[in-house]
Amino acid sequence: MKSKHNVLIFIPSLIGALALFGWLFDIEILKRPSASMVAMNPMSALSFIFIGFALYLNLNRPDPNTSRNIIRSIALFVIFVGLSKLYSIISGFDLGMDKILFPDKISMVVVSGFQNRMAPNTAFDFAVLGSALFLSSFRKELLSSISNYLCILVLLIGLFSVIGYVYQVQEFYGILSFIPMAIHTAISFIFCSFSLLLINGHSGFMKVFTSKSSGGILARVLMPFLILVPVSFGYIRLYLNRLNPVSLELGVGFLMTGIILAFFILVWFVATQLEKSDIARTDAERKLSELNQELEKLVSAKTMDLFKSENRFRTILEQFPYPVVTYTPEGICTGTNFAWEEMWNTRRDVLVDYNILKDPQIKEAGFFPYVEKAFNGEPAISEPYPYDPKLIGGSGRNRWLQMVLYPVKNTAGNILEVIVVQQDITASKEAENEIRLLNNELEERVKVRTEQLVLANKELESFSYSISHDLRAPIRGISGFTQILMEDYGVNLDAEGQRIIGKIIENAKQMGQLVDDLLEFSRLGRTELAEREISMKELAVAVYNELINLESGREIRFEIQDIPNVRADQPAVRQLWVNLISNAIKYTKKSKSPHIQIGSMGSQDGTVFYVKDNGAGFNMQYYHKLFGVFQRLHSNSDFEGTGVGLAIVKRIASRHGGNVWAESKEGEGATFYFTLPGQDPKLK
């Protein structure tokens, strides 16, 4: 709609701009439609350009405050132009307002004895139109209504001027001997006043013309005909009279007959449209009545469904195993269920006028933020809190509660009610307190037992160290004296005696090794680990070379991969390699082609190292004995040993936070695996 108004608004501005352009470049057709007509005064043309801009701002208002100030400034300028010219006419003192622009060219333009000046009716229209524009800028009902009446006055003067040109009646567009109003000036006034009337369509009598009612539509249809029909037939009467003069009575009769016939057609057309409108309205009312009946049936059915749904909801609520309370959006209790009565050992009518938002216990317990959150429209679950039922008239005991609060909303997002489910967690709270007490008691017992265990371990380690240390002297004595006996008196002994002395020396040596292993095993439990970066490959190769040098005459195929480095205690890790590699060398004695392989592989726990051989292996049925102290899966006659080496390996891996395990098939060799958490695969 605004786009159509903008077109009307810019027509007078365009006419004024073309007129100024004509004055500037002496183009007569732009200054006046024909040589016999009056040219638009340059000041009038400039005023129409300003008025068009003011009307545009009044309609669109890009910046209300700035637009209002510009409109009022333009309105005051136009009023000043009109009043100054009227003053010059009345007082006889020419202020020269209409000679400011192109004074030399204006003085040379004379039409029918009139020098170009602003006409009195033009000046009056500018003063009235400027006032209407000024009042309209306030956008108030009364002032806009007054503005509309002023616009009607300007519109009539402009219309009479145009009719005067059509009928060639100078009295309609000229006043006495003053220069008459130019026809395009009159047309510009019509467009300006009509545009301002549309802008003020919300005020005064214009409400009828701009309304969407039948009256408004009828007024908009009839108004153009009321103006055009009489004017058109009057012009036709004059034109025919010039062609063939007739008597006044005949001319008037022809004019009236034409007007009556035109209005008869207009009335018939309007009546037809109104009849169609009435028929459409009647049909619409009938359909509306039918729709209302269907709507009533639908509302009745929905009401019944709602009633059933509410009954179902209340039934479910009543049979719900947890206590449930419903509240209005203001926090007032509207109902509860049987589970609530049973929990608090009271009747539900004690909750009449109870307001959860004003419950002091809830505020003191720090529960209020959860309630406030729910009544603001968001679900909430409270922390457990104690509640005394005396505030609500209940006779039950104090309980621990945890509440689930859920706001029920309509489609518009407004809260209808808040449902609160009270979960009685007293039993779980009491159980929790009891468990806490038991845990505290258990922690105290564990602390005492741990201290006793630490003390026992220290005593056991001290005992083990003392026994092992004290055993070394007798063993050295047995070994030393037996060696002396063999050296000094061996020649006097027979073969059996020498064999027995050899067995004594061998067992003493084995006993010494066992004591050394026990001391090492005991030491690993006492000493602190000093971790540093270890090249596992270099350490394993060095250990293998030392051990193989003790095995004279044996040829073993030894392979080692590029295994990653670790951060660990080097002496402990060295002992681990010694025990595993010495085991592999020992148990491959009876293999025809002994083969030992050392490598690593990835797993979820990191890198796994392994030592693999093709020796005697062992039966996995006895795997549970493998890493125990003094546990051996082979006889000493087959493979010598103390049964402590693998226990030492397990303790070393465990102290580093790792693990050790093995896989084997009897007669097909064995593979021992271990992990050390300090490994770094990037360090090779």
Side-chain angles (χ1 to χ4, degrees), residues 562-594:
D562 285 335
I563 57 178
N565 298 349
V566 298
R567 287 192 61 82
D569 184 81
Q570 183 167 359
V573 175
R574 176 183 175 81
Q575 187 63 47
L576 183 148
W577 280 122
V578 167
N579 290 6
L580 290 180
I581 295 174
S582 63
N583 260 15
I585 293 173
K586 177 170 62 177
Y587 287 105
T588 56
K589 281 184 178 179
K590 298 181 180 181
S591 299
K592 294 181 180 180
S593 301

Side-chain angles (χ1 to χ4, degrees), residues 90-148:
I90 294 171
S91 65
F93 180 74
D94 189 5
L95 297 176
M97 178 59 65
D98 51 356
K99 295 188 293 183
I100 294 176
L101 300 175
F102 311 111
D104 297 335
K105 295 181 180 180
I106 288 175
S107 61
M108 297 173 61
V109 176
V110 178
V111 178
S112 302
F114 297 107
Q115 190 177 13
N116 190 278
R117 291 288 186 276
M118 185 181 293
N121 44 354
T122 300
F124 179 77
D125 270 3
F126 275 131
V128 175
L129 184 60
S131 301
L133 188 60
F134 184 81
L135 294 175
S136 176
S137 67
F138 290 93
R139 291 291 178 94
K140 293 183 179 180
E141 179 74 20
L142 178 61
L143 298 180
S144 296
S145 181
I146 296 172
S147 174
N148 287 342

Side-chain angles (χ1 to χ4, degrees), residues 96-370:
M97 178 59 65
D98 51 356
K99 295 188 293 183
I100 294 176
L101 300 175
F102 311 111
D104 297 335
K105 295 181 180 180
I106 288 175
S107 61
M108 297 173 61
V109 176
V110 178
V111 178
S112 302
F114 297 107
Q115 190 177 13
N116 190 278
R117 291 288 186 276
M118 185 181 293
N121 44 354
T122 300
F124 179 77
D125 270 3
F126 275 131
V128 175
L129 184 60
S131 301
L133 188 60
F134 184 81
L135 294 175
S136 176
S137 67
F138 290 93
R139 291 291 178 94
K140 293 183 179 180
E141 179 74 20
L142 178 61
L143 298 180
S144 296
S145 181
I146 296 172
S147 174
N148 287 342
Y149 286 108
L150 296 177
C151 288
I152 286 294
L153 179 60
V154 174
L155 180 65
L156 290 175
I157 294 174
L159 188 60
F160 269 93
S161 298
V162 173
I163 294 173
Y165 276 103
V166 173
Y167 289 174
Q168 295 184 359
V169 179
Q170 186 174 350
E171 287 77 8
F172 275 26
Y173 58 86
I175 298 176
L176 301 175
S177 61
F178 295 100
I179 187 171
M181 181 187 293
I183 186 170
H184 41 328
T185 301
I187 293 172
S188 298
F189 277 126
I190 292 172
F191 277 107
C192 287
S193 56
F194 186 66
S195 299
L196 190 53
L197 284 171
L198 292 178
I199 293 173
N200 295 334
H202 60 282
S203 304
F205 62 86
M206 283 302 295
K207 289 181 180 179
V208 177
F209 290 96
T210 57
S211 70
K212 296 181 180 180
S213 63
S214 299
I217 296 172
L218 185 61
R220 290 194 293 273
V221 171
L222 292 178
M223 186 55 64
F225 285 96
L226 291 177
I227 298 173
L228 295 177
V229 169
V231 173
S232 300
F233 277 97
Y235 178 77
I236 293 172
R237 192 265 179 195
L238 293 174
Y239 179 74
L240 293 177
N241 190 57
R242 292 193 193 99
L243 294 178
N244 186 18
V246 295
S247 64
L248 178 63
E249 293 79 2
L250 180 61
V252 172
F254 170 77
L255 177 62
M256 291 299 103
T257 302
I259 292 174
I260 291 170
L261 180 61
F263 276 101
F264 174 80
I265 295 172
L266 178 61
V267 170
W268 172 82
F269 174 76
V270 172
T272 303
Q273 297 301 315
L274 289 176
E275 184 179 9
K276 290 181 180 179
S277 177
D278 288 340
I279 293 172
R281 184 176 66 254
T282 303
D283 186 53
E285 289 175 352
R286 178 181 57 79
K287 290 181 179 179
L288 182 61
S289 177
E290 294 174 355
L291 289 174
N292 282 335
Q293 293 177 2
E294 293 180 4
L295 183 60
E296 287 177 1
K297 293 179 182 179
L298 182 61
V299 169
S300 178
K302 292 296 182 184
T303 302
M304 183 59 67
D305 292 341
L306 183 61
F307 178 74
K308 292 178 180 178
S309 176
E310 185 175 358
N311 280 343
R312 185 166 58 251
F313 170 73
R314 293 300 171 188
T315 302
I316 294 172
L317 184 67
E318 192 64 33
Q319 297 180 6
F320 198 67
Y322 294 106
V324 178
V325 188
T326 56
Y327 298 92
T328 65
E330 292 75 30
I332 300 173
C333 177
T334 57
T336 184
N337 62 350
F338 178 73
W340 184 90
E341 290 184 332
E342 192 174 45
M343 181 176 75
W344 296 113
N345 192 24
T346 187
R347 294 175 57 84
R348 65 187 69 186
D349 53 12
V350 300
L351 289 176
V352 174
D353 297 331
Y354 170 74
N355 192 322
I356 191 173
L357 298 176
K358 298 179 181 178
D359 190 335
Q361 283 196 74
I362 288 178
K363 293 183 178 180
E364 291 171 5
F367 178 63
F368 190 72
Y370 303 102

